[in-house]
Each structure stands twice: as structure tokens, then as C-alpha cells.
């Protein structure tokens, strides 16, 4: 029997460091030719963590969100589409509406998208006008029609071709407008440039595809609708697919990885979870481009208690690295703070995946509520009984047995405000950790990192002690 260690069992030994400012640390990581993240953090495909709002915030911050699969294919596809449409300096297919549509219907539409501008067109897609938030938020008469509320074509500034960012800037500056429709000679809509997207295209931190749209991943299971779901997600523009199952070293999971990779060879494929050298090796051989590590470390997991199976996460990452060779690894689960993230990266991971740390933010699905005088949000394990029932109601998984739950049904986490603030403080902590290890980037961290195993005395000393604090 060999020893398995987790985050609380180890510390990193400080090293001589040339780093004079934390800003000199480069946290970027390449997971695939098309997936270059600015921070090594990915949001977990859990239904209380990642839908479009979280994925948008993550891509804007330079990370990656993976939309969960505990829903119908249609629902998941819509979430992916919302991310792909959220921000694009040039919107290829802007949402067009008829002039006869009522304000009530327009308001319903705004709930489906993360934007509030619609182009009004006739039956031949000829531009008649434009409706934006300003035109309708203060209007009470919901029976009013688009044609009564829109800014008419005659008053719009339009262009006849896709223009450069520089040209767009000049138009925005000169006319003080927020939208520039692109039309052809017949006045048919060919696209839309928006001020908000123009501004966010200046955000150098965001991770984007070749068309300037935000990056997003989407999860798949291995049963039932796996390929059908993969097909729909690929069509919707998912940049990464993620086979996300509890035991990634199942023959069935390896077969699914092979099939998905064969069917969508150009889309990077994350697969997991595993916690051994052999698991990583077999997933790699099956075609996984990125391997997800973690059996039982997650905050809402009961796998180790229910089944007696698991590998403490630091050891699991080290073992997986032996089997994965140069294939990128994502350490999934168990990170409670930036220190754990630095340890996961130092152990051999290229990035970490987070669940509970993000579930209390505004961008996580679900409402804020009060419990014992505190603001909280719900968080549950994806192998919990509720998640299982949700899955069989919304997916085509043909399940012929009722499994035992391996996750918490009714968990709660403190409300934390915008995810941006959580990511910012994690990023600062990670930068500091790299600096203590004398590492300017991940490569140097892997080279310099030296772990020390600690005792319960060392752990006690690590946390604040002998003082009262809030
Ligand atoms: P954290 O610790 O960041 O972990 O909340 C998130 C990861 O936990 C995994 N996960 C589960 N594992 N039973 C499990 O054994 C569950 O019900 C469960 N739900 C989530 C998952 O890998 C996630 O990314």
C-alpha cells in the first residue's frame, strides 16, 4: 500500500525568487491550439455552477466555463448559443423582429438573450428600424408594436460592409450612437456592430474564438444521447466538449471518448474523471486531448464514503501526470482556496476546475436566500439523487437501475457577489504562490516546486490561531 496525500497534507517550500512584482507572473495556459486561457481556472459543469452567465463571466476573465449536461439538449444548446452571442464586435446574425411584434413579446425575447437590441425588418429582411433598451424599458403599454417604438431606418447610421474596429470607433465617436447595422444594397440586414461589444473587444483578457466570440465548453455523458448531444453542441458552436462522468476509466467511457473524438476530431475533448496513471494513459490512448483528474475530492462528493474508493487529490494529480505524458490535466475538485490551486498546479495540473468556490456567486444558477441570518445559494452534487432524477427527466439516458447517491442533495454555500471578485482574489493568491516558488510561469513552477509533507501540527499552525477573528 502506498501513501496518498491531499492539499492539507502538503505545503510548497519557498524558493529563491527573481520575481519583483506579482504582475510578472504569467498564468496563461494552452490546453489546445484553440484554447489558450489567461488564467488556469475552469468552472465545473454542475447545474448549480455553470450555465451561460458563469461561462460568459469566465471567458471575459480569461478562464473557461463548461455548461452542464443535466438538462435537455435544447436547453444546453441555448446556453451555449447565449455565450456565443453574448459578445462579438461583429454580430453575424443579429436577432431580427417583425414590425408587428408587441412590446410584451419583445420583453419575453429579452429574457432569452443577454442583450436588449433587436433589428426590425420586413418580410424580405429589409431593415425598417432598430429597437434598443432605451426605446422600451420605460414604456408601460405592452400592446404597443415594434413599429411604434423603433428608431426608424431614416434616423439610423448604417454601413454597407463589415468595417474595421478603427472605422467603427470613428463612427461611435462622431455620432454618439451605440449600434451600427450592416446592410447590403437591397437594405437587407447583414450584421450589427454594437458599442458594448466594441468596448469589450478591447478587453484583452477575454478568451475568444477566431470570429471574436467568447469561448465556451459543454459537457456530455456517456449513455443515451451522447452523440446526438455532441452533434447539437458542436453545431451551436461549443469550443470544447467535455465527457464528464464519475468513473472515466470505465470501458464504456473509453468507448465514448473514441466515438466522440472520431465524430468531432477538430473539437478539443476533455475527458474524465480518473485518479491513476493507468486511467490517464487509457483516456489519452482513447483520444482525450485534456484529462480531468479527481475521484472523490469534491466538496459535495460522498463517493469515498459510499464506495470506499478514491485517491487523495495531490497524489491523484501526480499519478495522472505519469500516465498522461504531455497531455494537459485539469485537477477537478477539492480546491478551497488559492493555496490549494497552487498546490494542484505544482503537482502537475495545467488548470483546475472549481465547483463550490463559484456556486455562491451572482453568475451561478439559482436564487439567493436567507438561512440562519446569512445570504446563501444552493449547491448540490451531480451524483446526488435529485441530480439523478433531474437527469432522467431531461435527458435520453436509458437507465435501468436506480444508483446509490454519491453526492449531497441539499448543500448551501455563502453568497459571494460577482464572480469577477472571486476570480480576482484567487488570481492574486495564485500569483503570490508562483512568486514564493520562484516561478514566472507554469513550466517554472513544475521545475521549481518542492513539496513538504506536514503533520497535524503543521496544518494547525497553517490556519490562523490563538486570536479571535471575524
Ligand atoms: P469542488 O470541491 O470544487 O468540486 O466543489 C467540484 C467537482 O466535484 C465533482 N462532483 C461530484 N463528485 N459526487 C462526486 O463524487 C457528486 O455528486 C459530485 N458532484 C460534483 C465534480 O467533478 C466537480 O467538478
Amino acid at each position: 500500500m502506498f501513501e496518498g496525500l491531499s492539499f492539507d497534507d502538503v505545503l510548497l517550500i519557498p524558493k529563491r525568487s527573481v520575481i519583483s512584482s506579482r504582475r510578472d507572473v504569467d498564468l496563461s495556459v494552452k490546453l489546445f491550439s484553440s484554447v489558450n486561457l489567461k488564467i488556469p481556472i475552469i468552472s465545473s459543469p454542475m447545474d448549480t455552477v455553470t450555465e451561460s452567465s458563469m461561462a460568459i463571466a469566465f471567458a471575459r476573465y480569461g478562464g473557461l466555463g463548461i455548461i452542464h449536461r443535466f438538462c435537455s439538449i435544447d436547453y444546453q444548446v441555448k446556453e451555449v448559443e447565449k455565450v456565443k452571442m453574448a459578445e462579438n464586435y461583429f454580430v453575424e446574425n443579429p436577432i431580427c423582429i417583425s414590425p408587428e411584434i408587441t412590446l410584451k413579446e419583445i420583453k419575453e425575447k429579452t429574457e432569452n438573450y443577454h442583450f436588449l437590441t433587436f433589428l426590425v425588418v420586413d418580410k424580405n429582411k429589409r431593415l425598417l428600424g432598430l429597437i434598443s433598451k432605451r426605446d422600451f424599458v420605460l414604456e408601460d403599454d405592452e400592446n404597443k408594436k415594434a413599429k411604434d417604438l423603433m428608431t426608424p431606418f431614416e434616423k439610423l447610421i448604417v454601413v454597407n460592409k463589415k468595417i474595421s474596429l478603427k472605422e467603427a470607433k470613428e463612427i461611435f465617436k462622431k455620432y454618439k450612437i451605440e449600434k451600427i447595422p450592416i446592410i447590403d444594397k437591397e437594405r437587407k440586414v447583414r450584421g450589427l456592430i454594437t458599442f458594448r461589444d466594441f468596448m469589450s473587444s478591447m478587453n484583452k483578457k477575454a478568451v475568444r474564438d477566431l470570429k471574436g466570440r467568447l469561448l465556451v465548453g459543454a459537457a456530455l455523458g456517456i449513455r443515451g444521447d451522447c452523440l446526438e448531444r455532441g452533434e447539437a453542441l458542436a453545431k451551436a458552436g461549443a469550443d470544447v466538449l467535455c465527457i464528464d462522468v464519475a468513473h472515466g476509466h470505465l470501458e464504456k467511457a473509453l468507448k465514448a471518448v473514441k466515438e466522440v473524438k472520431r465524430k468531432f476530431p477538430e473539437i478539443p475533448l476533455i475527458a474524465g474523471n480518473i485518479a491513476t496513471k493507468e486511467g490517464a494513459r487509457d483516456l489519452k490512448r482513447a483520444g482525450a486531448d485534456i484529462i480531468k483528474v479527481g475521484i472523490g475530492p469534491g466538496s459535495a462528493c460522498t463517493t469515498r464514503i459510499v464506495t470506499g474508493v478514491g485517491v487523495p487529490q495531490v497524489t491523484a494529480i501526480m499519478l495522472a501526470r505519469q500516465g498522461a505524458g504531455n497531455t494537459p490535466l485539469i485537477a477537478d475538485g477539492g480546491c478551497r482556496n488559492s493555496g490549494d490551486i497552487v498546490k494542484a498546479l505544482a503537482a502537475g495540473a495545467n488548470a483546475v476546475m472549481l465547483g463550490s468556490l463559484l456556486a455562491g456567486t451572482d453568475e451561478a444558477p439559482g436564487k439567493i436566500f436567507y438561512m440562519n441570518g446569512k445570504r446563501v445559494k444552493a449547491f448540490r452534487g451531480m451524483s446526488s439523487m435529485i441530480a439523478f432524477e433531474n437527469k432522467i427527466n431531461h435527458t435520453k439516458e436509458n437507465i435501468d437501475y436506480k444508483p446509490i447517491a454519491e453526492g449531497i442533495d441539499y448543500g448551501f454555500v455563502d453568497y459571494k457577489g460577482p464572480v469577477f471578485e472571486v476570480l480576482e482574489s484567487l488570481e492574486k493568491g495564485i500569483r503570490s504562490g508562483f512568486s514564493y516558488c520562484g516561478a514566472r510561469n507554469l513550466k517554472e513552477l513544475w521545475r521549481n516546486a518542492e513539496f513538504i509533507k506536514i503533520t497535524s501540527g503543521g496544518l494547525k499552525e497553517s490556519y490562523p490561531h490563538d486570536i479571535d477573528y471575524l
Side-chain angles (χ1 to χ4, degrees):
M1 210 190 311
F2 64 96
E3 197 170 45
L5 300 173
S6 199
F7 298 121
D8 273 354
D9 300 318
V10 296
L11 283 171
L12 286 156
I13 297 176
K15 293 288 164 98
R16 181 171 177 154
S17 180
V18 291
I19 295 157
S20 53
S21 159
R22 308 289 195 257
R23 271 187 298 240
D24 295 343
V25 173
D26 174 14
L27 291 183
S28 64
V29 58
K30 179 178 183 164
L31 295 179
F32 196 78
S33 52
S34 53
V35 185
N36 291 291
L37 305 185
K38 308 280 174 32
I39 52 157
I41 306 181
I42 296 170
S43 72
S44 173
M46 298 173 76
D47 66 0
T48 47
V49 179
T50 313
E51 291 191 344
S52 52
S53 299
M54 183 66 79
I56 290 168
F58 254 68
R60 283 186 180 147
Y61 201 89
L64 179 71
I66 313 274
I67 307 284
H68 73 85
R69 64 185 174 90
F70 297 85
C71 54
S72 66
I73 296 178
D74 266 5
Y75 187 91
Q76 196 182 13
V77 159
K78 286 213 173 84
E79 291 303 297
V80 168
E81 284 173 349
K82 282 185 204 171
V83 183
K84 298 313 285 181
M85 294 176 85
E87 185 180 292
N88 180 2
Y89 133 72
F90 165 59
V91 185
E92 238 167 311
N93 293 305
I95 303 294
C96 293
I97 59 175
S98 139
E100 299 303 325
I101 231 174
T102 63
L103 176 58
K104 187 163 182 279
E105 291 165 300
I106 294 172
K107 283 186 176 168
E108 280 161 11
K109 272 183 185 292
T110 62
E111 284 164 21
N112 289 327
Y113 302 99
H114 288 275
F115 51 80
L116 298 166
T117 299
F118 301 98
L119 295 180
V120 184
V121 297
D122 68 12
K123 282 193 195 97
N124 300 317
K125 234 190 153 194
R126 286 176 76 246
L127 184 64
L128 299 176
L130 181 145
I131 287 203
S132 68
K133 188 176 166 187
R134 237 195 336 230
D135 299 318
F136 64 80
V137 280
L138 300 177
E139 178 57 61
D140 297 321
D141 182 357
E142 295 206 323
N143 293 320
K144 272 206 170 156
K145 297 197 167 161
K147 61 182 180 194
D148 307 319
L149 298 163
M150 69 188 189
T151 306
F153 178 78
E154 295 68 36
K155 289 195 177 163
L156 297 177
I157 304 295
V158 298
V159 292
N160 294 106
K161 62 176 175 48
K162 191 178 167 190
I163 52 176
S164 68
L165 277 171
K166 206 167 155 230
E167 289 167 307
K169 184 178 170 186
E170 286 312 310
I171 296 179
F172 285 129
K173 211 165 108 186
K174 182 166 172 194
Y175 296 102
K176 299 186 176 26
I177 52 171
E178 296 197 356
K179 309 281 176 326
I180 312 172
I182 306 170
I183 53 169
D184 64 14
K185 285 191 199 109
E186 290 159 25
R187 220 165 107 177
K188 285 187 185 165
V189 175
R190 292 288 174 236
L192 178 70
I193 301 167
T194 78
F195 182 67
R196 196 185 70 169
D197 294 344
F198 165 79
M199 285 307 286
S200 52
S201 68
M202 305 288 188
N203 167 11
K204 296 282 177 277
K205 202 161 184 181
V207 289
R208 302 171 190 282
D209 63 17
L210 290 174
K211 290 183 178 168
R213 304 173 304 176
L214 297 175
L215 285 195
V216 61
L220 296 174
I222 55 173
R223 295 172 204 276
D225 61 19
C226 169
L227 290 179
E228 188 190 338
R229 195 174 277 264
E231 180 105 52
L233 293 168
K235 210 165 141 208
D239 301 282
V240 180
L241 293 175
C242 173
I243 293 194
D244 171 48
V245 289
H247 187 17
H249 207 185
L250 278 178
E251 290 286 339
K252 206 174 168 62
L254 297 174
K255 199 167 152 243
V257 170
K258 267 188 206 146
E259 280 174 5
V260 170
K261 197 62 212 173
R262 195 177 320 125
K263 196 137 197 244
F264 314 105
E266 70 293 347
I267 304 184
L269 179 62
I270 303 174
N273 282 16
I274 50 86
T276 59
K277 178 178 169 181
E278 295 73 22
R281 180 200 62 201
D282 292 347
L283 278 180
K284 181 181 172 159
R285 282 185 188 158
D289 300 303
I290 302 156
I291 294 166
K292 207 148 70 77
V293 186
I295 301 288
S299 54
C301 299
T302 55
T303 298
R304 293 180 188 173
I305 310 304
V306 172
T307 68
V309 175
V311 178
Q313 188 68 338
V314 171
T315 299
I317 298 165
M318 288 176 166
L319 293 174
R321 175 51 69 210
Q322 289 171 26
N326 292 328
T327 301
L329 294 181
I330 297 170
D332 176 16
C335 289
R336 299 151 302 172
N337 44 51
S338 47
D340 289 347
I341 297 177
V342 178
K343 291 175 192 175
L345 296 173
N350 299 68
V352 296
M353 179 172 272
L354 305 180
S356 60
L357 269 178
L358 309 171
T361 62
D362 290 325
E363 289 79 358
K367 299 219 158 26
I368 303 165
F369 54 97
Y370 280 87
M371 213 174 62
N372 301 331
K374 265 196 329 186
R375 286 193 292 176
V376 296
K377 286 189 87 167
F379 178 60
R380 63 170 171 233
M382 298 324 308
S383 300
S384 64
M385 207 33 80
I386 293 190
F388 170 76
E389 277 159 14
N390 206 17
K391 190 165 68 178
I392 46 177
N393 286 340
H394 291 102
T395 70
K396 292 182 191 159
E397 294 205 7
N398 42 352
I399 291 158
D400 47 10
Y401 67 100
K402 194 168 180 181
I404 178 91
E406 290 177 28
I408 299 294
D409 271 313
Y410 297 104
F412 307 97
V413 289
D414 285 352
Y415 169 65
K416 291 197 181 117
V419 74
F420 165 82
E421 288 175 10
V422 173
L423 288 174
E424 201 170 55
S425 83
L426 289 176
E427 182 185 352
K428 285 182 181 162
I430 302 169
R431 285 179 182 279
S432 254
F434 273 53
S435 167
Y436 274 110
C437 292
R440 278 168 299 197
N441 51 46
L442 187 61
K443 233 183 188 170
E444 290 187 1
L445 183 72
W446 286 352
R447 200 172 59 216
N448 295 357
E450 192 184 347
F451 281 104
I452 183 169
K453 194 177 134 189
I454 61 170
T455 61
S456 57
L459 179 64
K460 220 165 132 191
E461 188 184 63
S462 298
Y463 285 92
H465 52 84
D466 298 315
I467 57 160
D468 290 325
Y469 58 100
L470 295 172

